[in-house]
Amino acid sequence: MLQSCTSAVRRTTHNLNHNVLRSYSSAPSAQSKLVKQSLRNLLRETAQPVAVVTSTLPDHETAPRSDSSIQYQKKPPLIFHGATLSSFTSIALDPHPLVAFSLRVPSRMALALNAHASKPQMQMSSHMVVNILSAAQPHIAQLFSRPDLHPFSNSEVQWTQSADGLPVIKGALGALSCAVVGRSLPLSDTRWLRSSMEEWETEVQQVEGGSGLASELFIARVLRVEDVQEPEGQFKNEKLRTLPLLYHRRAYTTVGKIPNP
């Protein structure tokens, strides 16, 4: 009897929470639109670091077509892919160094990272490299921001391979070999934040089956800071090689010293 009452209370509480949470994901109100626009305007006045995440595409995108005349097929060659990040930040150093970024979906990079996260790998094997661009590389940021290209086939991208065989872009300010800690989290609806661990997968599936996702959050553990090689050729301004590439007021820029008062 007690167990039945407890189950009924849990169901009632879950339904109440579900209805409340649905209100958070409803159509944006006028106030919500105002907040978004004000925030967007403010963020344009701040400077964001620019990075390119590099990884490999899932196997099913690179697998060769079946041919009855071939009994044994070699494993398809890896196809490298990269994407310019619209947001990237360090979120923790202890007890584990963690970084986070978001990707618009659908995208090949989001698909690739989620595919890697679902496969068991060695504990110290990375899924991707986050290349933090230098101020001399706005052209690299623009190139990898195009969804219709595989820029690694382009001769203007100079890169080497990490110990895990992933691309490290030459001339970058720095590069981090990382492993995603789990599947990405939807940002179009935050009801999964209030779910219990047992209900997490169900809630995410409900969100994904709803109005669709605009972007997803990835959290990754930094496994190694890579040694970045210098690119071949000369920079027009060698000083830019040691400065970060920033995005500010819809344009690429870098840092400068604050003049003394």
PDB file of all heavy atoms in Angstrom, residues 114-135:
ATOM      1  N   ASN A 114      29.843  12.867 -31.668  1.00  0.00           N
ATOM      2  CA  ASN A 114      28.906  11.984 -30.974  1.00  0.00           C
ATOM      3  C   ASN A 114      29.160  10.525 -31.329  1.00  0.00           C
ATOM      4  O   ASN A 114      28.993   9.631 -30.488  1.00  0.00           O
ATOM      5  CB  ASN A 114      27.468  12.376 -31.295  1.00  0.00           C
ATOM      6  CG  ASN A 114      26.975  13.523 -30.439  1.00  0.00           C
ATOM      7  OD1 ASN A 114      27.314  13.619 -29.266  1.00  0.00           O
ATOM      8  ND2 ASN A 114      26.179  14.412 -31.019  1.00  0.00           N
ATOM      9  N   ALA A 115      29.561  10.268 -32.568  1.00  0.00           N
ATOM     10  CA  ALA A 115      29.888   8.898 -32.960  1.00  0.00           C
ATOM     11  C   ALA A 115      31.116   8.404 -32.209  1.00  0.00           C
ATOM     12  O   ALA A 115      31.161   7.250 -31.749  1.00  0.00           O
ATOM     13  CB  ALA A 115      30.116   8.839 -34.470  1.00  0.00           C
ATOM     14  N   HIS A 116      32.123   9.258 -32.062  1.00  0.00           N
ATOM     15  CA  HIS A 116      33.322   8.873 -31.324  1.00  0.00           C
ATOM     16  C   HIS A 116      32.999   8.640 -29.839  1.00  0.00           C
ATOM     17  O   HIS A 116      33.550   7.741 -29.204  1.00  0.00           O
ATOM     18  CB  HIS A 116      34.397   9.952 -31.453  1.00  0.00           C
ATOM     19  CG  HIS A 116      34.953  10.087 -32.832  1.00  0.00           C
ATOM     20  ND1 HIS A 116      35.274   9.006 -33.621  1.00  0.00           N
ATOM     21  CD2 HIS A 116      35.246  11.191 -33.576  1.00  0.00           C
ATOM     22  CE1 HIS A 116      35.745   9.419 -34.786  1.00  0.00           C
ATOM     23  NE2 HIS A 116      35.729  10.739 -34.788  1.00  0.00           N
ATOM     24  N   ALA A 117      32.104   9.472 -29.291  1.00  0.00           N
ATOM     25  CA  ALA A 117      31.761   9.343 -27.874  1.00  0.00           C
ATOM     26  C   ALA A 117      31.035   8.038 -27.578  1.00  0.00           C
ATOM     27  O   ALA A 117      31.081   7.540 -26.452  1.00  0.00           O
ATOM     28  CB  ALA A 117      30.889  10.520 -27.446  1.00  0.00           C
ATOM     29  N   SER A 118      30.359   7.486 -28.578  1.00  0.00           N
ATOM     30  CA  SER A 118      29.579   6.268 -28.364  1.00  0.00           C
ATOM     31  C   SER A 118      30.407   5.003 -28.485  1.00  0.00           C
ATOM     32  O   SER A 118      29.924   3.906 -28.194  1.00  0.00           O
ATOM     33  CB  SER A 118      28.424   6.205 -29.375  1.00  0.00           C
ATOM     34  OG  SER A 118      28.928   6.072 -30.705  1.00  0.00           O
ATOM     35  N   LYS A 119      31.674   5.139 -28.905  1.00  0.00           N
ATOM     36  CA  LYS A 119      32.520   3.966 -29.090  1.00  0.00           C
ATOM     37  C   LYS A 119      33.518   3.848 -27.951  1.00  0.00           C
ATOM     38  O   LYS A 119      34.115   4.840 -27.536  1.00  0.00           O
ATOM     39  CB  LYS A 119      33.284   4.070 -30.417  1.00  0.00           C
ATOM     40  CG  LYS A 119      32.391   4.051 -31.648  1.00  0.00           C
ATOM     41  CD  LYS A 119      33.230   4.192 -32.902  1.00  0.00           C
ATOM     42  CE  LYS A 119      32.350   4.210 -34.138  1.00  0.00           C
ATOM     43  NZ  LYS A 119      33.161   4.383 -35.368  1.00  0.00           N
ATOM     44  N   PRO A 120      33.710   2.633 -27.440  1.00  0.00           N
ATOM     45  CA  PRO A 120      34.721   2.453 -26.393  1.00  0.00           C
ATOM     46  C   PRO A 120      36.118   2.668 -26.968  1.00  0.00           C
ATOM     47  O   PRO A 120      36.464   2.139 -28.017  1.00  0.00           O
ATOM     48  CB  PRO A 120      34.521   0.996 -25.950  1.00  0.00           C
ATOM     49  CG  PRO A 120      33.884   0.327 -27.131  1.00  0.00           C
ATOM     50  CD  PRO A 120      33.030   1.370 -27.796  1.00  0.00           C
ATOM     51  N   GLN A 121      36.903   3.490 -26.311  1.00  0.00           N
ATOM     52  CA  GLN A 121      38.264   3.759 -26.750  1.00  0.00           C
ATOM     53  C   GLN A 121      39.209   3.651 -25.570  1.00  0.00           C
ATOM     54  O   GLN A 121      38.796   3.580 -24.415  1.00  0.00           O
ATOM     55  CB  GLN A 121      38.372   5.159 -27.373  1.00  0.00           C
ATOM     56  CG  GLN A 121      37.648   5.293 -28.696  1.00  0.00           C
ATOM     57  CD  GLN A 121      38.088   6.567 -29.412  1.00  0.00           C
ATOM     58  OE1 GLN A 121      38.875   7.343 -28.894  1.00  0.00           O
ATOM     59  NE2 GLN A 121      37.575   6.767 -30.609  1.00  0.00           N
ATOM     60  N   MET A 122      40.491   3.652 -25.898  1.00  0.00           N
ATOM     61  CA  MET A 122      41.485   3.659 -24.833  1.00  0.00           C
ATOM     62  C   MET A 122      41.335   4.935 -24.022  1.00  0.00           C
ATOM     63  O   MET A 122      40.966   5.987 -24.542  1.00  0.00           O
ATOM     64  CB  MET A 122      42.884   3.579 -25.437  1.00  0.00           C
ATOM     65  CG  MET A 122      43.178   2.266 -26.151  1.00  0.00           C
ATOM     66  SD  MET A 122      44.827   2.255 -26.875  1.00  0.00           S
ATOM     67  CE  MET A 122      45.836   2.468 -25.418  1.00  0.00           C
ATOM     68  N   GLN A 123      41.615   4.837 -22.752  1.00  0.00           N
ATOM     69  CA  GLN A 123      41.379   5.946 -21.837  1.00  0.00           C
ATOM     70  C   GLN A 123      42.126   7.199 -22.251  1.00  0.00           C
ATOM     71  O   GLN A 123      41.639   8.316 -22.088  1.00  0.00           O
ATOM     72  CB  GLN A 123      41.786   5.543 -20.421  1.00  0.00           C
ATOM     73  CG  GLN A 123      41.472   6.602 -19.365  1.00  0.00           C
ATOM     74  CD  GLN A 123      41.816   6.128 -17.973  1.00  0.00           C
ATOM     75  OE1 GLN A 123      42.290   5.022 -17.789  1.00  0.00           O
ATOM     76  NE2 GLN A 123      41.578   6.962 -16.990  1.00  0.00           N
ATOM     77  N   MET A 124      43.312   7.048 -22.814  1.00  0.00           N
ATOM     78  CA  MET A 124      44.123   8.212 -23.147  1.00  0.00           C
ATOM     79  C   MET A 124      44.148   8.483 -24.649  1.00  0.00           C
ATOM     80  O   MET A 124      45.086   9.055 -25.178  1.00  0.00           O
ATOM     81  CB  MET A 124      45.551   8.017 -22.627  1.00  0.00           C
ATOM     82  CG  MET A 124      45.630   7.895 -21.116  1.00  0.00           C
ATOM     83  SD  MET A 124      44.845   9.287 -20.247  1.00  0.00           S
ATOM     84  CE  MET A 124      45.974  10.604 -20.660  1.00  0.00           C
ATOM     85  N   SER A 125      43.120   8.058 -25.359  1.00  0.00           N
ATOM     86  CA  SER A 125      43.031   8.304 -26.784  1.00  0.00           C
ATOM     87  C   SER A 125      42.093   9.482 -27.027  1.00  0.00           C
ATOM     88  O   SER A 125      40.969   9.507 -26.520  1.00  0.00           O
ATOM     89  CB  SER A 125      42.516   7.056 -27.510  1.00  0.00           C
ATOM     90  OG  SER A 125      42.385   7.289 -28.885  1.00  0.00           O
ATOM     91  N   SER A 126      42.542  10.451 -27.812  1.00  0.00           N
ATOM     92  CA  SER A 126      41.745  11.652 -28.025  1.00  0.00           C
ATOM     93  C   SER A 126      40.769  11.465 -29.179  1.00  0.00           C
ATOM     94  O   SER A 126      40.991  10.681 -30.094  1.00  0.00           O
ATOM     95  CB  SER A 126      42.657  12.854 -28.287  1.00  0.00           C
ATOM     96  OG  SER A 126      43.462  12.628 -29.425  1.00  0.00           O
ATOM     97  N   HIS A 127      39.674  12.225 -29.128  1.00  0.00           N
ATOM     98  CA  HIS A 127      38.680  12.224 -30.198  1.00  0.00           C
ATOM     99  C   HIS A 127      38.880  13.382 -31.157  1.00  0.00           C
ATOM    100  O   HIS A 127      38.374  13.356 -32.280  1.00  0.00           O
ATOM    101  CB  HIS A 127      37.266  12.357 -29.610  1.00  0.00           C
ATOM    102  CG  HIS A 127      36.895  11.270 -28.659  1.00  0.00           C
ATOM    103  ND1 HIS A 127      36.440  11.522 -27.385  1.00  0.00           N
ATOM    104  CD2 HIS A 127      36.910   9.923 -28.798  1.00  0.00           C
ATOM    105  CE1 HIS A 127      36.177  10.374 -26.778  1.00  0.00           C
ATOM    106  NE2 HIS A 127      36.461   9.404 -27.600  1.00  0.00           N
ATOM    107  N   MET A 128      39.578  14.418 -30.699  1.00  0.00           N
ATOM    108  CA  MET A 128      39.662  15.649 -31.483  1.00  0.00           C
ATOM    109  C   MET A 128      40.838  16.486 -31.005  1.00  0.00           C
ATOM    110  O   MET A 128      41.431  16.219 -29.954  1.00  0.00           O
ATOM    111  CB  MET A 128      38.373  16.463 -31.306  1.00  0.00           C
ATOM    112  CG  MET A 128      38.141  16.867 -29.864  1.00  0.00           C
ATOM    113  SD  MET A 128      36.569  17.685 -29.611  1.00  0.00           S
ATOM    114  CE  MET A 128      36.528  17.739 -27.815  1.00  0.00           C
ATOM    115  N   VAL A 129      41.139  17.508 -31.813  1.00  0.00           N
ATOM    116  CA  VAL A 129      42.132  18.509 -31.435  1.00  0.00           C
ATOM    117  C   VAL A 129      41.470  19.872 -31.545  1.00  0.00           C
ATOM    118  O   VAL A 129      40.846  20.189 -32.568  1.00  0.00           O
ATOM    119  CB  VAL A 129      43.371  18.456 -32.342  1.00  0.00           C
ATOM    120  CG1 VAL A 129      44.329  19.611 -32.019  1.00  0.00           C
ATOM    121  CG2 VAL A 129      44.095  17.121 -32.190  1.00  0.00           C
ATOM    122  N   VAL A 130      41.568  20.667 -30.499  1.00  0.00           N
ATOM    123  CA  VAL A 130      41.091  22.050 -30.530  1.00  0.00           C
ATOM    124  C   VAL A 130      42.296  22.931 -30.842  1.00  0.00           C
ATOM    125  O   VAL A 130      43.210  23.057 -30.028  1.00  0.00           O
ATOM    126  CB  VAL A 130      40.444  22.463 -29.199  1.00  0.00           C
ATOM    127  CG1 VAL A 130      40.032  23.932 -29.260  1.00  0.00           C
ATOM    128  CG2 VAL A 130      39.234  21.590 -28.895  1.00  0.00           C
ATOM    129  N   ASN A 131      42.299  23.507 -32.043  1.00  0.00           N
ATOM    130  CA  ASN A 131      43.384  24.367 -32.497  1.00  0.00           C
ATOM    131  C   ASN A 131      43.013  25.821 -32.206  1.00  0.00           C
ATOM    132  O   ASN A 131      42.078  26.364 -32.813  1.00  0.00           O
ATOM    133  CB  ASN A 131      43.611  24.186 -33.999  1.00  0.00           C
ATOM    134  CG  ASN A 131      43.975  22.757 -34.375  1.00  0.00           C
ATOM    135  OD1 ASN A 131      45.146  22.402 -34.410  1.00  0.00           O
ATOM    136  ND2 ASN A 131      42.965  21.936 -34.649  1.00  0.00           N
ATOM    137  N   ILE A 132      43.705  26.436 -31.273  1.00  0.00           N
ATOM    138  CA  ILE A 132      43.449  27.838 -30.924  1.00  0.00           C
ATOM    139  C   ILE A 132      44.253  28.706 -31.884  1.00  0.00           C
ATOM    140  O   ILE A 132      45.487  28.697 -31.855  1.00  0.00           O
ATOM    141  CB  ILE A 132      43.833  28.110 -29.462  1.00  0.00           C
ATOM    142  CG1 ILE A 132      43.070  27.150 -28.535  1.00  0.00           C
ATOM    143  CG2 ILE A 132      43.533  29.561 -29.092  1.00  0.00           C
ATOM    144  CD1 ILE A 132      43.504  27.218 -27.094  1.00  0.00           C
ATOM    145  N   LEU A 133      43.566  29.434 -32.747  1.00  0.00           N
ATOM    146  CA  LEU A 133      44.220  30.125 -33.848  1.00  0.00           C
ATOM    147  C   LEU A 133      44.977  31.361 -33.384  1.00  0.00           C
ATOM    148  O   LEU A 133      44.616  32.011 -32.400  1.00  0.00           O
ATOM    149  CB  LEU A 133      43.196  30.509 -34.909  1.00  0.00           C
ATOM    150  CG  LEU A 133      42.417  29.350 -35.546  1.00  0.00           C
ATOM    151  CD1 LEU A 133      41.543  29.874 -36.676  1.00  0.00           C
ATOM    152  CD2 LEU A 133      43.356  28.253 -36.051  1.00  0.00           C
ATOM    153  N   SER A 134      46.025  31.681 -34.140  1.00  0.00           N
ATOM    154  CA  SER A 134      46.788  32.902 -33.898  1.00  0.00           C
ATOM    155  C   SER A 134      46.195  34.032 -34.733  1.00  0.00           C
ATOM    156  O   SER A 134      45.389  33.819 -35.642  1.00  0.00           O
ATOM    157  CB  SER A 134      48.257  32.689 -34.267  1.00  0.00           C
ATOM    158  OG  SER A 134      48.406  32.630 -35.678  1.00  0.00           O
ATOM    159  N   ALA A 135      46.621  35.251 -34.430  1.00  0.00           N
ATOM    160  CA  ALA A 135      46.098  36.425 -35.125  1.00  0.00           C
ATOM    161  C   ALA A 135      46.489  36.439 -36.596  1.00  0.00           C
ATOM    162  O   ALA A 135      45.926  37.216 -37.373  1.00  0.00           O
ATOM    163  CB  ALA A 135      46.600  37.694 -34.436  1.00  0.00           C
TER     164      ALA A 135
END
